[in-house]
Amino acid sequence: MRIGVITFPGSLDDRDARRAVRAAGAEDVALWHGDHDLSGVDALVLPGGFSYGDYLRCGAIASLSPIMNEVVDAANKGMPVLGICNGFQMLAEAHLLPGGLIRNDHGAFIRRDQHLRVENTATAWTNGFTAGQQIVIPLKNGEGEYVASAETIERLEGDGRVAFRYLGVNPNGSINDIAGVTNERGNVVGLMPHPEHATEPGFGPDTRAAMRSGVDGLTFFTSAIAALQAA
């Protein structure tokens, strides 16, 4: 399987995402924001960072990049697409996911190993988890507060489209502790924490077993591979 990772001006975690793709057993494909060609990839990752300097709104300019025309088209046709942090903001700005992300309610940038609860295991990126499973994924954001209209939140909750929820502490004020959501089809997922930073022993969050041994993030990428193989 070939999974593309798109680099935008200001991307910081594109190489980490590509390394995660390789750790999961797929071929990583580097894509550029100015391209109009997805190079025949089977899935896409929009990585974290500060695309275009976060001008206007985080992800707003990136959502209008040339390659996003191809991303929207591929997503609407069912291709698995994962937006991480800034990538989540892009997917919201591109209307591939509902709601939006605004400045953290405490007004400060935050970085921590974040406990999450898996709410939806029926997506292309979460099928390897079990419902209610608790995982630990690194988090780092300044504009991570998830907001949406009351009607949208009610629909997301009612349809089971909240993919992940913050546990222990809500780090940014997100409504209903929402850390990630999915589209109706389940092929597009966005989340604020960074699974690509928890895919290899020695580089992930601390666990009870050992320091830096957390690899909960790897399941995002192996889930996508499993979904593609089953399609």
Side-chain angles (χ1 to χ4, degrees):
M1 297 297 172
R2 305 175 76 244
I3 300 180
V5 178
I6 304 172
T7 297
F8 299 83
S11 292
L12 296 181
D13 301 295
D14 45 341
R15 292 189 179 185
D16 302 76
R18 290 176 59 191
R19 188 178 181 93
V21 168
R22 294 195 299 272
E27 177 186 352
D28 66 295
V29 180
L31 300 173
W32 181 240
H33 74 114
D35 293 343
H36 284 283
D37 183 2
L38 297 181
S39 299
V41 299
D42 302 296
L44 287 166
V45 177
L46 279 61
F50 303 92
S51 59
Y52 296 92
D54 281 348
Y55 291 115
L56 298 182
R57 295 180 308 276
C58 297
I61 299 177
S63 72
L64 301 175
S65 294
I67 201 169
M68 288 301 292
N69 291 323
E70 317 306 325
V71 173
V72 170
D73 184 58
N76 288 334
K77 291 178 179 177
M79 180 181 288
V81 179
L82 176 66
I84 303 169
C85 196
N86 192 217
F88 185 7
Q89 295 161 343
M90 295 177 207
L91 293 177
E93 291 287 345
H95 306 294
L96 285 173
L97 291 174
L101 289 305
I102 63 173
R103 187 74 178 167
N104 295 346
D105 63 346
H106 47 73
F109 186 93
I110 187 169
R111 195 229 67 86
R112 69 192 313 272
D113 289 338
Q114 179 67 49
H115 288 260
L116 303 174
R117 183 172 63 242
V118 181
E119 301 284 356
N120 184 327
T121 61
T123 82
W125 300 93
T126 62
N127 62 78
F129 295 109
T130 57
Q133 182 177 346
Q134 297 185 20
I135 61 176
V136 180
I137 302 293
L139 170 81
K140 49 178 184 176
N141 65 71
E143 285 92 2
E145 181 180 350
Y146 182 77
V147 295
S149 68
E151 180 183 0
T152 297
I153 294 297
E154 182 179 4
R155 184 171 66 253
L156 289 174
E157 295 284 9
D159 293 345
R161 289 171 54 195
V162 174
F164 299 92
R165 218 178 293 271
Y166 296 117
L167 284 181
V169 63
N170 184 325
N172 44 40
S174 293
I175 296 174
N176 290 7
D177 300 326
I178 293 173
V181 299
T182 180
N183 65 345
E184 293 183 9
R185 192 168 182 172
N187 62 302
V188 180
V189 171
L191 77 159
M192 287 310 295
H194 288 258
E196 77 279 12
H197 295 324
T199 59
E200 295 179 272
F203 299 94
D206 294 342
T207 70
R208 293 181 178 180
M211 294 177 62
R212 304 289 186 183
S213 62
V215 293
D216 289 336
L218 187 63
T219 303
F220 286 80
F221 302 93
T222 56
S223 291
I225 294 171
L228 289 167
Q229 290 174 334

